[in-house]
Amino acid sequence: MTTRSASKMRRILDCVNKSSKLMARRNSVWTAERTLTTPYDKIEIPNCTVYDYVWENLEKWPEKTLSVCSATGRGYTYEQAFNLSNAFAANLRLKLKIRDGDTVSVMLPNIPDFPLIAIGILGAGGVISTINPIYTPHEVQRQLIMSKSKAIVTMPESLKVVQEALKLAKLNIPIIIVKTNGDATPENTFCFNELSEDVHVDKSCLKEVRRSPTDTCFLPYSSGTTGLPKGVELSHRNLVANMQQMNVSQIRNHEDTTETHQDAVLGVLPFFHIYGASVIMFHKMSIGAKIVTLTKFNPDNYFNTLEKYKISILYAAPPMILLMGAHPASTSETLQHLRTVINGAAPLGSQDVERFLNKLNRKADVRQAYGLTETSPLAIMPPVGIENYQTIGYPVSNTEAKIVDDNLRPVGPNQAGELLLRGPQVMKGYRDNPKANSEVFTVDGYFRTGDVAMADEKGLITITDRLKELIKVKGYQVPPAELEAVLREHPAILDAAVVGIPHEVKGEVPKAFVVLKEGQKVEAKEIKNFVKEKVAPFKRVEEIEFLDKIPKSSAGKILRKDLKATNT
């Protein structure tokens, strides 16, 4: 037997032994108190920042590609990214006066510069707050105010939106532009390319940075279980713990980067969302993978990129799995390099997975994971090799779960209830929102997910329904309260309620129920256009229904179930 064959055999035996241990421990997942523990190996959480964690093994793969644009081939090696991001970090402190704990907003599509900008902000001691690049000025200004941003990074094509947002917010903060061509830098802006390529900048100022693992490093905005967007405070420890959890052998989906091997991961899920930022961007930087960015999604680009860049790991949302199961360009040839496909963002049916596997025409590691912005995001994951496509698996390492009834009492196997989670990846809390924190954290420190789940006798968890009011459009969260507030700004509208209704392609879409002020008349089309001007495309109201009165409880809460019942 050759040395290489012997090494491979040892790895296989090691996996078999670990799988055997996992099987043996599954019966102990349920505790006597009806808590769900994890069967996965315990992790040690390094006492470091995300910046230090990501660059820890840089010397192992300096010449490997960190990020590359699928359309243009423009990209960076790990060594280039390290040097450029540090120069950018130094200039953030020296020229823009960013200090420890200051928030810098990032409003970008998935471009190869995104990882450099994000890690550069952390290197400067800052906090990253991401904004969807298709947001309107109305949406952007609200987040800039809530996050107390001291600067914003964006593209030239988004500059007008940002400028209008700053006017609305009455803010005067620096704008950093990322140029991907030779155009001149717009007036009164900084150029990321110049800040990062400044070979004369004094990087010694970065020694002044003092950030601890418990400090907030990432501030995405989520609607939680209900209501308007809230700032989710994720610490360095939260993200580092979650990356360590992803590395555990029973669930990991990457192979080690070596001189002869580098996993290629498709950066199609948005980096401005926690799924893309943590799982695809930061974690894959920490293991030396190649991140292939897809700025604009269309089927031809998507399938061409999968084949051309030999994508081995794909993190997907349901619309992408559905596309791969139905599109003519989806063939065993275009999908030939895929080794692992992880679905997240929303549940997926077994039949949808089977259609995809028929196109693939071979076995692959296909699993359905579960996470939330508030859990950094990964919280529950099936083991490698599972062929149950409905389950989301077991709590990840160092994580506990409970399924509870309406009185927060734990239920047993095969009983439905709200899913609660506790672990090192759970957020610090919602920024400046003690009321929301008191609603989502129990007295014993569990986070209330707002999702209805069930676990079988072995502890395998399945999401069965959603308690939360969020509408999921193609995996994006749409909070009804936000649309209701926009609707009530219309001069003819007295009251409004929004619910999600089923849609063949998008999963769900928003439908608005509207009560007009006395004597007012307005067409549904006009209301749709009014909302359209104020929100991103995925939040647009698809249907309008006029009512005399919005059904509400005695406490004044909208009875959304009653409204949804009219659409069944």
Side-chain angles (χ1 to χ4, degrees):
M1 184 182 286
T2 64
T3 304
R4 187 173 179 180
S5 298
S7 176
K8 187 174 182 181
M9 182 57 70
R10 280 196 299 273
R11 287 200 303 271
I12 292 171
L13 289 172
D14 185 51
C15 287
V16 169
N17 289 334
K18 284 186 178 290
S19 296
S20 299
K21 289 178 184 176
L22 179 60
M23 290 295 292
R25 292 169 61 190
R26 279 181 184 170
N27 292 330
S28 64
V29 166
W30 282 99
T31 70
E33 293 77 28
R34 293 183 174 178
T35 297
L36 289 159
T37 58
T38 178
Y40 303 137
D41 293 342
K42 187 177 180 180
I43 59 160
E44 295 295 327
I45 305 169
N47 190 39
C48 66
T49 64
V50 171
Y51 176 91
D52 291 331
Y53 186 88
V54 162
W55 295 127
E56 183 180 7
N57 292 307
L58 174 66
E59 74 282 354
K60 293 182 180 179
W61 42 70
E63 301 305 316
K64 296 288 187 186
T65 299
L66 184 154
S67 58
V68 59
C69 174
S70 62
T72 65
R74 186 179 67 86
Y76 303 96
T77 66
Y78 273 84
E79 188 172 44
Q80 288 171 333
F82 177 77
N83 292 328
L84 292 168
S85 63
N86 278 338
F88 176 57
N91 273 319
L92 284 177
R93 289 187 75 90
L94 296 173
K95 292 183 179 177
L96 278 71
K97 306 303 178 187
I98 297 299
R99 292 295 176 261
D100 293 356
D102 284 350
T103 300
V104 179
S105 285
V106 180
M107 184 176 167
L108 295 171
N110 284 16
I111 54 176
D113 316 79
F114 204 128
L116 281 66
I117 290 161
I119 203 70
I121 292 168
L122 297 184
V127 175
I128 306 160
S129 188
T130 48
I131 301 176
N132 190 330
I134 62 172
Y135 270 8
T136 65
H138 178 82
E139 294 165 309
V140 175
Q141 63 92 21
R142 181 175 59 210
Q143 188 165 327
L144 289 175
I145 292 170
M146 292 174 70
S147 65
K148 300 174 184 173
S149 289
K150 298 294 174 67
I152 182 168
V153 186
T154 193
M155 300 284 283
E157 50 265 39
S158 299
L159 180 58
K160 286 185 179 178
V161 170
V162 170
Q163 289 172 330
E164 182 60 30
L166 291 174
K167 283 182 186 176
L168 290 171
K170 297 177 182 177
L171 286 173
N172 181 22
I173 61 174
I175 301 172
I176 303 166
I177 296 293
V178 183
K179 295 194 303 180
T180 57
N181 54 39
D183 292 346
T185 304
E187 278 187 56
N188 302 316
T189 66
F190 291 88
C191 176
F192 164 72
N193 311 70
E194 293 171 5
L195 295 174
S196 60
E197 293 168 14
D198 182 359
V199 295
H200 301 295
V201 65
D202 182 5
K203 296 179 184 176
S204 66
C205 66
L206 299 180
K207 294 176 183 177
E208 300 166 6
V209 174
R210 295 288 182 270
R211 300 298 280 164
S212 76
T214 56
D215 288 330
T216 300
C217 70
F218 198 62
L219 186 66
Y221 275 76
S222 166
S223 298
T225 54
T226 59
L228 291 167
K230 308 172 189 71
V232 177
E233 291 198 300
L234 298 174
S235 69
H236 288 277
R237 177 179 165 83
N238 288 151
L239 294 189
V240 168
N242 209 216
M243 289 189 276
Q244 284 287 90
Q245 289 163 330
M246 293 177 212
N247 290 339
V248 170
S249 63
Q250 295 105 327
I251 69 167
R252 68 178 264 173
N253 46 62
H254 66 272
E255 292 183 0
D256 291 338
T257 301
T258 65
E259 286 187 14
T260 56
H261 177 80
Q262 184 186 29
D263 276 335
V265 182
L266 185 60
V268 58
L269 295 177
F271 295 155
F272 61 77
H273 188 276
I274 188 64
Y275 189 1
S278 180
V279 177
I280 300 176
M281 188 171 66
F282 287 133
H283 178 256
K284 297 309 172 288
M285 290 169 72
S286 76
I287 58 142
K290 179 191 294 184
I291 304 167
V292 182
T293 62
L294 196 66
T295 304
K296 291 182 180 177
F297 185 91
N298 68 57
D300 289 340
N301 286 347
Y302 175 69
F303 288 112
N304 180 58
T305 301
L306 288 177
E307 186 175 9
K308 178 182 176 182
Y309 284 93
K310 301 180 179 179
I311 302 299
S312 50
I313 304 173
L314 177 65
Y315 295 96
M320 293 162 60
I321 308 286
L322 296 175
L323 180 73
M324 291 190 293
H327 199 277
S330 181
T331 66
S332 57
E333 187 176 357
T334 55
L335 306 175
Q336 64 181 298
H337 302 289
L338 283 179
R339 186 182 72 242
T340 296
V341 177
I342 306 296
N343 178 66
L348 192 67
S350 291
Q351 288 184 335
D352 300 322
V353 177
E354 294 293 349
R355 277 192 286 269
F356 159 64
L357 288 172
N358 287 337
K359 289 273 191 173
L360 197 64
N361 200 26
R362 59 181 168 83
K363 281 201 167 189
D365 176 23
V366 181
R367 286 176 282 160
Q368 189 147 237
Y370 175 85
L372 302 143
T373 305
E374 291 85 349
T375 58
S376 302
L378 187 62
I380 302 174
M381 183 90 174
V384 175
I386 196 167
E387 292 187 357
N388 177 348
Y389 304 123
Q390 287 299 102
T391 184
I392 55 172
Y394 303 101
V396 295
S397 298
N398 300 38
T399 302
E400 301 166 284
K402 284 197 290 190
I403 298 172
V404 300
D405 62 19
D406 292 342
N407 296 311
L408 298 183
R409 291 179 302 214
V411 300
N414 303 311
Q415 291 180 283
E418 184 182 2
L419 176 65
L420 274 57
L421 294 165
R422 184 168 67 182
Q425 74 276 44
V426 176
M427 68 171 179
K428 294 168 65 175
Y430 296 119
R431 173 168 283 193
D432 301 328
N433 203 330
K435 182 177 183 295
N437 289 330
S438 67
E439 291 169 352
V440 297
F441 284 108
T442 63
V443 290
D444 54 352
Y446 277 86
F447 173 72
R448 301 185 62 175
T449 68
D451 286 317
V452 179
M454 187 184 292
D456 66 13
E457 291 85 355
K458 293 179 180 178
L460 283 169
I461 302 169
T462 303
I463 298 296
T464 61
D465 200 355
R466 210 163 62 240
L467 285 176
K468 60 182 73 171
E469 298 171 353
L470 291 175
I471 302 163
K472 285 285 186 78
V473 182
K474 286 190 171 181
Y476 290 115
Q477 297 179 347
V478 180
E482 181 181 350
L483 288 176
E484 288 157 2
V486 171
L487 285 161
R488 285 193 291 268
E489 290 177 13
H490 191 287
I493 293 177
L494 176 67
D495 201 1
V498 176
V499 300
I501 58 172
H503 189 278
E504 275 189 19
V505 177
K506 299 178 182 178
E508 287 185 305
V509 291
K511 175 178 178 177
F513 296 86
V514 170
V515 178
L516 297 179
K517 293 177 182 176
E518 192 174 343
Q520 293 288 334
K521 287 186 178 180
V522 63
E523 296 293 322
K525 186 177 179 181
E526 182 189 325
I527 296 173
K528 286 184 185 180
N529 287 334
F530 177 80
V531 176
K532 180 181 175 181
E533 293 295 317
K534 292 180 176 287
V535 301
F538 66 89
K539 295 182 186 175
R540 291 173 186 170
V541 173
E542 296 275 336
E543 288 187 25
I544 302 281
E545 185 173 327
F546 294 96
L547 298 178
D548 294 329
K549 186 180 181 181
I550 300 293
K552 295 182 181 179
S553 69
S554 57
K557 190 174 178 66
I558 295 170
L559 299 174
R560 299 187 198 277
K561 284 186 179 179
D562 293 358
L563 294 172
K564 284 191 172 188
T566 65
N567 289 282
T568 56

